[in-house]
Amino acid sequence: MTDYEIEMELEAALEALPKENPPVNLSDWNSGSDYKEKLASVVKLGKKSDLFDYQYFFPDCIKKDLAHKLGFSDEAYENSFFAPVSQSTLSIVTLAIFLKKHNQKVGIVEPVYFSVQSCVDDIGIPYRLFSDYMENINSTFDVEELLQSDCIAFWFTSPVNSCSIYFKERVTKGIQKLLDAGKIVILDESLCVNGYELSRVFGVQENLLYIYSPHKALGLQGIKFSYVVCHTKYYDDINNLEDIYGGSLCYSCQEGARHFVSKNFDDCRDVYTAFWQDNFLKVKNIVKNYDFARISPETFGHYAMIFIRCAVDDASFVEAMKRLMKEKGYFVYPGILQGFDPEKCFCFRINMLLNSNDIENGLKAVLEYIKNTEK
């Protein structure tokens, strides 16, 4: 089954069930009610943004503060262009069109956010998928494979999409080799927890472009904004594309930018970290009771992948999830929906910002099904 077929089947099954007490999707992108309530009691907004005029850039008074908070030095700030757009999907579109205009074949290091491949397909950009790294990129990444390819640009996602695994020295050294060889590198850090940005490793370099969306990691989608950061070499390119495809910034983006540079953002990040880490401990304790399942100890963030050793057929798994919806009130999306190749290893995502009781009860229900199927 394709990822689209799987998603549509599960959505149809969900819609057919009573609306009063809907099943919980452990792979969902939204947070649970407990986390929302806890964070809502902490978050404070300034409400100083302009409701009327078109705004294409953030106020000069906070631009340098934004750069510093993202890990850029004063020197890096002076040599870079920060192009704000209202969300990271528009940043992806902007950079995809940038690659098209420069007629660059792009190497996509999977897994990536789902819209990346759709964008390059729709825009007509030649590309090659590098799919061998997935969970173990920090121990298996081979930059020579990328360097010997005919790709001129490379697209990375950090942390690894839906795994919350950050790049270590093997990968960062490889990325620097690509840059030293004159390749264009895009680092999509939209889900990066503030303080762990690769800007702190690479700074600003001529052919390096970043995507940021700081609130996305905290589950604060209503005030998120996105930044494309590049060397001033690409100022005209990115500024024009951002204007054409991104348009003006909405009120919530302006609020988000002011909030990001405030102490309150740090307070929110502390709540976020404590919440997901508490649930991560519960998840690890559950998973260790099933010898066919594993979760990476490198996980640092609220999305985690549970990898399954035994073979799981897509069609039978979808049917099982339909039954679990009805019988237990829980289900998950298989990892193919997050860009993981089921032929290499079956997996599913879990969101650790969901309510703790849902994570515990739901994860046990899913793993018990797989355990009974394996027999």
Side-chain angles (χ1 to χ4, degrees):
M1 300 176 70
T2 67
D3 55 349
Y4 179 77
E5 289 170 338
I6 291 171
E7 185 174 11
M8 290 303 99
E9 282 223 24
L10 291 175
E11 286 297 315
L14 188 60
E15 286 295 316
L17 294 173
K19 301 294 187 291
E20 307 84 63
N21 190 26
V24 175
N25 179 2
L26 299 182
S27 304
D28 196 19
W29 41 86
N30 288 324
S31 309
S33 57
D34 291 348
Y35 175 74
K36 289 177 181 176
E37 183 178 344
K38 188 166 288 189
L39 197 61
S41 68
V42 174
V43 65
K44 296 176 183 176
L45 302 179
K47 298 182 180 178
K48 297 177 181 177
S49 299
D50 192 333
L51 286 170
F52 301 97
D53 293 342
Y54 284 97
Q55 303 290 336
Y56 291 92
F57 297 98
F58 295 131
D60 290 340
C61 61
I62 65 168
K63 282 183 178 179
K64 188 172 282 191
D65 292 336
L66 285 164
H68 287 166
K69 194 94 181 229
L70 288 171
F72 294 97
S73 65
D74 282 342
E75 181 182 0
Y77 174 73
E78 296 301 327
N79 292 321
S80 60
F81 173 55
F82 290 72
V85 291
S86 57
Q87 57 175 297
S88 52
T89 298
L90 289 175
S91 292
I92 289 171
V93 172
T94 296
L95 291 185
I97 297 171
F98 165 81
L99 293 173
K100 176 67 174 178
K101 286 171 70 71
H102 285 264
N103 196 31
Q104 306 289 11
K105 180 174 182 179
V106 60
I108 299 174
V109 181
E110 292 193 299
V112 293
Y113 189 61
F114 79 96
S115 63
V116 173
Q117 192 172 345
S118 294
C119 276
V120 296
D121 272 328
D122 291 345
I123 295 168
I125 301 170
Y127 66 93
R128 173 181 167 184
L129 300 177
F130 292 86
S131 308
D132 292 336
Y133 310 115
M134 299 290 187
E135 177 197 9
N136 300 313
I137 191 167
N138 285 316
S139 59
T140 62
F141 182 66
D142 179 12
V143 73
E144 294 304 319
E145 181 187 11
L146 278 65
L147 283 168
Q148 291 169 18
S149 73
D150 59 348
C151 298
I152 306 301
F154 294 91
W155 195 298
F156 291 84
T157 305
S158 175
V160 176
N161 187 45
S162 294
C163 284
S164 301
I165 294 173
Y166 288 79
F167 296 161
K168 293 185 178 178
E169 188 176 23
R170 182 187 185 102
V171 184
T172 57
K173 281 188 171 180
I175 291 173
Q176 188 58 59
K177 280 188 176 182
L178 292 172
L179 291 165
D180 291 343
K183 308 294 186 181
I184 292 174
V185 173
I186 292 169
L187 294 176
D188 182 353
E189 297 196 86
S190 298
L191 265 173
C192 178
V193 176
N194 181 234
Y196 293 84
E197 296 90 351
L198 288 171
S199 57
R200 303 168 195 276
V201 176
F202 297 113
V204 171
Q205 300 187 45
E206 280 200 10
N207 289 331
L208 178 58
L209 301 97
Y210 300 93
I211 300 175
Y212 290 110
S213 187
H215 289 89
K216 193 171 183 178
L218 306 190
L220 283 168
Q221 311 301 343
I223 56 170
K224 68 181 178 182
F225 65 92
S226 184
Y227 247 152
V228 173
V229 184
C230 63
H231 191 275
T232 50
K233 167 184 177 180
Y234 292 122
Y235 173 88
D236 288 336
D237 282 325
I238 299 301
N239 186 44
N240 289 338
L241 290 171
E242 178 271 332
D243 188 16
I244 294 167
Y245 295 98
S248 63
L249 299 169
C250 58
Y251 177 89
S252 62
C253 294
Q254 300 171 54
E255 278 298 293
R258 287 188 169 88
H259 180 254
F260 179 51
V261 299
S262 73
K263 169 67 168 55
N264 187 249
F265 179 91
D266 301 336
D267 297 336
C268 292
R269 184 185 56 204
D270 291 343
V271 170
Y272 162 81
T273 302
F275 196 95
W276 78 256
Q277 287 186 337
D278 183 57
N279 276 337
F280 185 43
L281 182 60
K282 293 180 172 66
V283 169
K284 287 194 294 184
N285 286 335
I286 292 169
V287 170
K288 71 182 181 182
N289 294 318
Y290 298 88
D291 59 5
F292 56 82
R294 69 180 186 277
I295 185 170
S296 174
E298 295 181 36
T299 302
F300 190 87
H302 64 283
Y303 288 141
M305 271 290 171
I306 310 293
F307 292 90
I308 303 300
R309 187 196 65 231
C310 49
V312 181
D313 176 70
D314 283 340
S316 62
F317 188 78
V318 168
E319 290 304 313
M321 292 303 102
K322 291 179 184 179
R323 291 197 301 273
L324 280 178
M325 285 182 194
K326 295 178 181 178
E327 296 170 11
K328 302 290 186 179
Y330 295 101
F331 70 105
V332 295
Y333 282 154
I336 188 174
L337 270 70
Q338 284 84 44
F340 287 81
D341 185 350
E343 293 185 4
K344 295 187 187 307
C345 184
F346 189 85
C347 58
F348 60 86
R349 187 174 78 183
I350 187 166
N351 181 351
M352 292 181 291
L353 293 184
L354 295 173
N355 296 349
S356 295
N357 63 314
D358 285 330
I359 289 175
E360 292 185 277
N361 295 332
L363 183 55
K364 287 175 184 175
V366 173
L367 291 175
E368 280 296 319
Y369 156 73
I370 296 173
K371 177 182 177 181
N372 293 332
T373 301
E374 191 183 26
K375 289 179 178 179

